[in-house]
Amino acid sequence: MKSSVQISRGIESLFGTRDENIRLIENGLHVRTRLLNDSLEIEGEDASVARAEAILTDYAQLVREGHVFNNGDLNSYLRVVTADADSSLRRLVESGKQRNFGKKVVTPKTMNQRRYVDAIEHYDLVFGVGPAGTGKTYLAVAMGISALLAKRVSRIVLTRPAVEAGERLGFLPGTIQEKVDPYLRPLYDALYDMVEAEKIEKLLERNVIEVAPIAFMRGRTLNDSFIIMDEAQNSTPEQMKMILTRQGFNSKMVVTGDPTQIDLPNGLRSGLIEVIDVLRGIDGISFVPFDDRDVVRHSLVQKIVKAYERYNELIGANRQLSLKLTDQNAEAESAKTAPKPEPVSENTAA
């Protein structure tokens, strides 16, 4: 199949340094391109040509609207849209624009943050999975505040497991809410960072914004709500299923977690790890992975995350090697101790 896209401006940035951008499209989608006088011809399989045409049409329209692409940015966009059929160049570009969230102006800083914001806008259930400091919770709260202020939802529900990070705090005084508030403090921090304290207090009093542990969610149906489940790696599979099935009409849900920071007791499987296997590939659900390049805290945090990743990979490799050697030794010992078959004499055979 052949097709062509009218491109009269921005040819240089489209091709990129040493044609790296156009090669990325060709190699990523398995198509061939040819530059004509005022258009770009695309040739290949029907689906691949249609996908390339959609990407190039978005590019041409954005250039006509006055958008200027830096070579590095365009290359990053193209890596995403050639690998992810559900994303679009226009949506990625627009997801990077500044947004007002109450008193705060927030701009996604990395490509995965842009994908995350775009996914929250276009999907009703989004999983943000990755290391600490990548903005998973902060951006989710920001999108929730935006939806509430724009009256797209009537309330925000923030929840997380009440699990201690490897220590026992013992008895906590006060009411039930006062007992669980320390576990939910990171969610309050994000809220107060975006909206004036007086307004947040009023919204909390009226239950327009509700912050509660997962245990309080059972039996509820959350209609017209923006639901955020934080620290999902510390939920059990039963809790994860329960919270996912609370979603009602006109509701969005964002689930965030870091599989490398599981604080569940030994022997309990993380609900986040299981749900990735269970729900991946279902239409209407988006999984957005983050990595150390998305860390937006102190520069040392990025180095710490990377160091732990290398360490865990090394430990995992050594453990696999140890198990392999143990199995080989066990097989060798089994072969040594196995009784040898008695030789059959000629008389017996006769």
Side-chain angles (χ1 to χ4, degrees), residues 105-119:
V105 176
V106 178
T107 306
K109 291 182 171 61
T110 70
M111 187 56 59
N112 282 331
Q113 286 186 353
R114 291 190 179 203
R115 293 178 66 188
Y116 187 51
V117 169
D118 178 65

Side-chain angles (χ1 to χ4, degrees), residues 30-50:
H30 307 292
V31 296
R32 295 178 298 279
T33 63
R34 187 160 64 101
L35 183 62
L36 305 177
N37 288 334
D38 58 352
S39 64
L40 192 69
E41 186 180 80
I42 315 161
E43 184 177 358
E45 297 292 328
D46 291 2
S48 299
V49 169

Side-chain angles (χ1 to χ4, degrees), residues 155-322:
R155 62 177 168 172
I156 299 173
V157 179
L158 307 170
T159 185
R160 66 186 296 182
V163 175
E164 297 155 351
E167 55 189 326
R168 293 287 176 268
L169 299 180
F171 174 77
L172 294 174
T175 64
I176 290 179
Q177 192 63 42
E178 289 171 338
K179 291 176 190 293
V180 299
D181 272 357
Y183 299 101
L184 307 169
R185 180 50 51 188
L187 297 174
Y188 285 109
D189 291 343
L191 286 173
Y192 283 106
D193 195 36
M194 293 177 203
V195 182
E196 293 79 5
E198 299 82 7
K199 191 169 185 178
I200 287 293
E201 294 296 341
K202 289 180 181 178
L203 294 172
L204 288 168
E205 285 176 11
R206 290 159 42 202
N207 277 335
V208 174
I209 296 179
E210 181 182 351
V211 185
I214 289 178
F216 292 6
M217 296 293 113
R218 185 172 294 281
R220 302 179 62 185
T221 300
L222 302 173
N223 293 319
D224 199 29
S225 304
F226 195 104
I227 309 149
I228 300 171
M229 179 187 182
D230 192 32
E231 297 290 337
Q233 76 276 3
N234 289 326
S235 67
T236 64
E238 293 79 14
Q239 288 175 322
M240 177 63 74
K241 180 182 177 183
M242 183 268 288
I243 195 68
L244 292 178
T245 53
R246 300 307 96 198
Q247 188 172 2
F249 296 109
N250 190 39
S251 291
K252 279 185 181 288
M253 183 178 291
V254 181
V255 179
T256 70
D258 177 4
T260 66
Q261 296 196 47
I262 297 174
D263 299 311
L264 290 169
N266 289 336
L268 284 181
R269 180 171 166 80
S270 167
L272 178 63
I273 291 176
E274 181 175 287
V275 79
I276 292 172
D277 296 331
V278 173
L279 299 185
R280 189 174 293 282
I282 294 180
D283 289 340
I285 301 176
S286 177
F287 289 86
V288 181
F290 293 84
D291 57 37
D292 61 286
R293 293 170 295 181
D294 301 304
V295 172
V296 290
R297 291 180 184 166
H298 192 289
S299 58
L300 279 176
V301 175
Q302 190 175 45
K303 296 176 183 177
I304 290 168
V305 169
K306 193 67 177 174
Y308 269 100
E309 285 179 357
R310 287 197 301 267
Y311 175 77
N312 288 333
E313 287 174 3
L314 180 63
I315 292 298
N318 288 342
R319 186 177 293 122
Q320 287 180 355
L321 179 61
S322 175

